[in-house]
Amino acid sequence: MKIKGLKRFFSTLIVSGWCIMASAQFQLNIGNDSPIRKLQIAEMAITNLYVDSVDEQKLVEDAIRGMLEKLDPHSAYSTAKETKAMNEPLQGSFEGIGVQFNMVEDTLLVIQPTLNGPSEKVGILAGDRIITVNDTAIAGVKMSKEDIMKRLRGKKGSKVRLGVVRRGIGDVLSFTVTRDKIPVHTLDAAYMIKPGVGYIRIGSFGATTYEEFMEALQKLKKQATLEALILDLQDNGGGYLQAAAQVANDFLQKDDIIVYTEGRSVPRQDFRATGDGQLRAGCRVVVLVNEYSASAAEIVTGALQDQDRGQVVGRRTFGKGLVQRPIEFRDGSMMRLTVAHYYTPSGRCIQKPYVKGEKRDYEEDIEKRFKHGELYSADSIHFSDSLRYETLRLHRTVYGGGGIMPDFFVPLDTTQYTRFHRQLAAKGVIINTSLKYIDKNRRSLSKQYDTFEAFRDRFEVPQDMIDDVVAEAEKQSVKPKDEAELQQTLPMLRSQLKALIARDLWDMNEYFAIINEQNHIVQRALQILQ
């Protein structure tokens, strides 16, 4: 740009008085002294006058990130690619071939094809290895999982040729799969954990969560009279507020407050129960949480606790009580800006304390709880009297200002998850050993155990499988401290391997049916219900 043209540009900036911000559908009246004008002039000066060439798009994105980093820990910017990847798990579907898979020795191993999905319809089976996509090799070429997913996904209706190796068949099989919409489930499991006691685990709150929840509920009711329900929100990082409100609504009486939001520029908005929920009476409820339960999971937990509708079991939740408004840009990128706090029915703000701009300190909060001893003892948790509230019906004492404190505290058992076990999991040794075992023994296991009940009662993890875990760990320089740590690791290791095999033979219900036998929070809930 010539100097004369640059002067004309700056003059235009000074005269201009309005600015449209993204697609947020509001206008800002910019006066001559507005800081926004200063920002615009700085950006254009850098783009046009800086000694080296600059990426204007990245320059603007860095500026947005820089502003947001000085605010709360949850206001954030994401590129178009990042936004799409972030939204897919919550929107309920993506477009692809419909297989659950994992990588075993640089080869894509199909764990399960999606029921009635594109791959199942053409005959792809669990245990198949996909080695080529449109004649391009993806096996044994050190291709990343992300690159493989890019090749498998595509627009609905588009076709993709897959080369498949199947155990027992020498030739490479060829399949042409027509991509379709593949559902993404937010509900992990639903089954009768004891006679009369249902168990539902929700992994996150997305667009389809309530529909999945109701479907699971009907399925449980068909099996037996539902006297009690365990709602498992452990490790649930949140999602859509509306989805959380819909689930909580099912348990509450008409006009009961579920949650309310309020901010500096956002007036108070109440979310109230409609009174037509199927679980509003007659069914006991226990909600399970831990230190990774956050946001929308805390909305449901806080609502049921404050309304004295359910008992909460586990450990203090994460403490994320900030409401983000998505502001979308034309290029598909997005800014998530915190506009309000959300409050439980008793008036508690769940958001834990933070210092603006100190994101790292905020993210290390769980580690601090670990070092402080909070995860092992409820006595190490201290709440200020100024944060004291009462539940709305029974007037029990509850506290705000940093997550939901359960009614029944269950300490973290470090003897169950040893240092050796944590390293095995982090290195992928456990999952890879289970995948190799199921790949080799799928047919014999299916013949030997025609029902999950038979598998659960009779199957024991063989010693050679344990030996394989230890040998593979040694290759990766992972060793138990001593024989005592190894023996301490074995019970949970065997349970996890058995659960993973059950998942690959059946589904996630069977995985949790086994793993929950070792979950102390789940077992405490069952004791309370009994």
Side-chain angles (χ1 to χ4, degrees), residues 76-89:
Y77 171 83
S78 56
T79 64
K81 182 180 176 182
E82 290 167 343
T83 300
K84 184 179 179 183
M86 182 173 60
N87 286 339
E88 267 182 358

Side-chain angles (χ1 to χ4, degrees), residues 252 256-260 298-310 312 343-350 389-399 404 407:
L252 301 176
D256 281 353
I257 292 181
I258 297 169
V259 66
Y260 67 89
E298 293 173 298
I299 289 175
V300 176
T301 308
L304 269 59
Q305 188 181 54
D306 279 8
Q307 297 288 0
D308 291 300
R309 179 62 187 92
V312 181
Y343 299 84
T344 69
S346 67
R348 288 185 287 168
C349 178
I350 301 165
Y389 294 82
E390 287 187 349
T391 60
L392 301 184
R393 286 179 168 80
L394 301 180
H395 306 291
R396 296 179 298 116
T397 298
V398 288
Y399 290 91
I404 301 287
D407 303 307

Side-chain angles (χ1 to χ4, degrees), residues 349-408:
C349 178
I350 301 165
Q351 178 60 43
K352 63 185 177 183
Y354 63 88
V355 177
K356 288 182 179 179
E358 298 292 334
K359 193 170 184 178
R360 183 170 180 177
D361 183 66
Y362 182 83
E363 290 171 343
E364 291 176 349
D365 177 62
I366 299 296
E367 188 177 343
K368 288 179 182 176
R369 295 190 200 184
F370 188 88
K371 291 178 179 177
H372 184 250
E374 175 187 324
L375 303 185
Y376 315 118
S377 171
D379 293 338
S380 64
I381 307 169
H382 302 287
F383 293 101
S384 168
D385 283 343
S386 64
L387 300 173
R388 182 173 177 171
Y389 294 82
E390 287 187 349
T391 60
L392 301 184
R393 286 179 168 80
L394 301 180
H395 306 291
R396 296 179 298 116
T397 298
V398 288
Y399 290 91
I404 301 287
M405 186 66 188
D407 303 307
F408 298 91

Side-chain angles (χ1 to χ4, degrees), residues 430-439 465 497 500-501:
I430 300 173
I431 182 72
N432 286 332
T433 302
S434 75
L435 287 170
K436 289 176 185 176
Y437 180 83
I438 193 72
D439 182 47
M465 196 175 181
L497 288 169
L500 287 167
I501 295 167

Side-chain angles (χ1 to χ4, degrees), residues 50-325:
Y50 185 64
V51 62
D52 297 320
S53 61
V54 295
D55 183 336
E56 188 173 7
Q57 178 75 15
K58 188 175 184 303
L59 199 66
V60 171
E61 289 180 346
D62 287 346
I64 295 172
R65 283 195 171 100
M67 288 188 287
L68 294 176
E69 282 171 3
K70 299 300 181 183
L71 303 179
D72 65 277
H74 296 291
S75 290
Y77 171 83
S78 56
T79 64
K81 182 180 176 182
E82 290 167 343
T83 300
K84 184 179 179 183
M86 182 173 60
N87 286 339
E88 267 182 358
L90 297 177
Q91 289 175 342
S93 68
F94 65 90
E95 294 176 351
I97 67 167
V99 292
Q100 296 177 42
F101 72 91
N102 218 317
M103 302 302 296
V104 178
E105 297 176 343
D106 295 328
T107 303
L108 186 157
L109 177 68
V110 176
I111 296 173
Q112 292 286 352
T114 303
L115 186 65
N116 296 322
S119 292
E120 187 189 60
K121 287 177 180 177
V122 299
I124 290 176
L125 304 174
D128 283 350
R129 288 172 166 78
I130 299 177
I131 61 169
T132 63
V133 179
N134 287 333
D135 302 324
T136 299
I138 64 169
V141 292
K142 302 290 184 183
M143 189 178 289
S144 71
K145 195 171 181 178
E146 289 72 23
D147 285 339
I148 290 173
M149 287 175 67
K150 280 182 191 175
R151 294 174 186 274
L152 295 176
R153 291 187 179 185
K155 290 185 177 180
K156 178 182 177 179
S158 62
K159 296 182 184 297
V160 59
R161 294 187 309 279
L162 305 179
V164 172
V165 172
R166 183 170 294 167
R167 183 174 287 276
I169 298 178
D171 298 332
V172 176
L173 304 175
S174 181
F175 295 92
T176 298
V177 181
T178 303
R179 297 183 179 99
D180 203 346
K181 279 200 173 292
I182 309 301
V184 177
H185 297 295
T186 59
L187 194 144
D188 293 335
Y191 66 97
M192 296 300 292
I193 193 167
K194 293 285 183 185
V197 181
Y199 171 91
I200 294 179
R201 181 183 173 99
I202 299 177
S204 62
F205 287 93
T208 60
T209 299
Y210 184 63
E211 182 182 330
E212 293 176 51
F213 177 75
M214 294 308 296
E215 188 178 319
L217 203 57
Q218 295 309 315
K219 173 186 160 189
L220 295 179
K221 286 183 173 181
K222 285 181 181 177
Q223 294 178 31
T225 301
L226 204 59
E227 298 170 6
L229 178 70
I230 295 175
L231 181 62
D232 192 347
L233 302 182
Q234 293 178 86
D235 304 318
N236 183 317
Y240 293 153
L241 183 151
Q242 189 64 40
Q246 285 178 313
V247 170
N249 174 74
D250 217 57
F251 296 92
L252 301 176
Q253 301 294 327
K254 183 175 175 58
D255 290 331
D256 281 353
I257 292 181
I258 297 169
V259 66
Y260 67 89
T261 62
E262 192 170 18
R264 178 179 63 88
S265 300
V266 178
R268 172 168 169 163
Q269 181 182 5
D270 289 2
F271 292 78
R272 292 181 177 272
T274 58
D276 56 0
Q278 294 190 31
L279 295 171
R280 62 188 183 277
C283 177
R284 295 179 64 191
V285 182
V286 177
V287 184
L288 312 185
V289 294
N290 63 9
E291 56 276 10
Y292 297 107
S293 306
S295 188
E298 293 173 298
I299 289 175
V300 176
T301 308
L304 269 59
Q305 188 181 54
D306 279 8
Q307 297 288 0
D308 291 300
R309 179 62 187 92
Q311 294 168 303
V312 181
V313 179
R315 292 183 289 277
R316 181 165 68 99
T317 61
F318 183 84
K320 197 272 186 185
L322 299 176
V323 182
Q324 280 75 51
R325 175 176 293 172

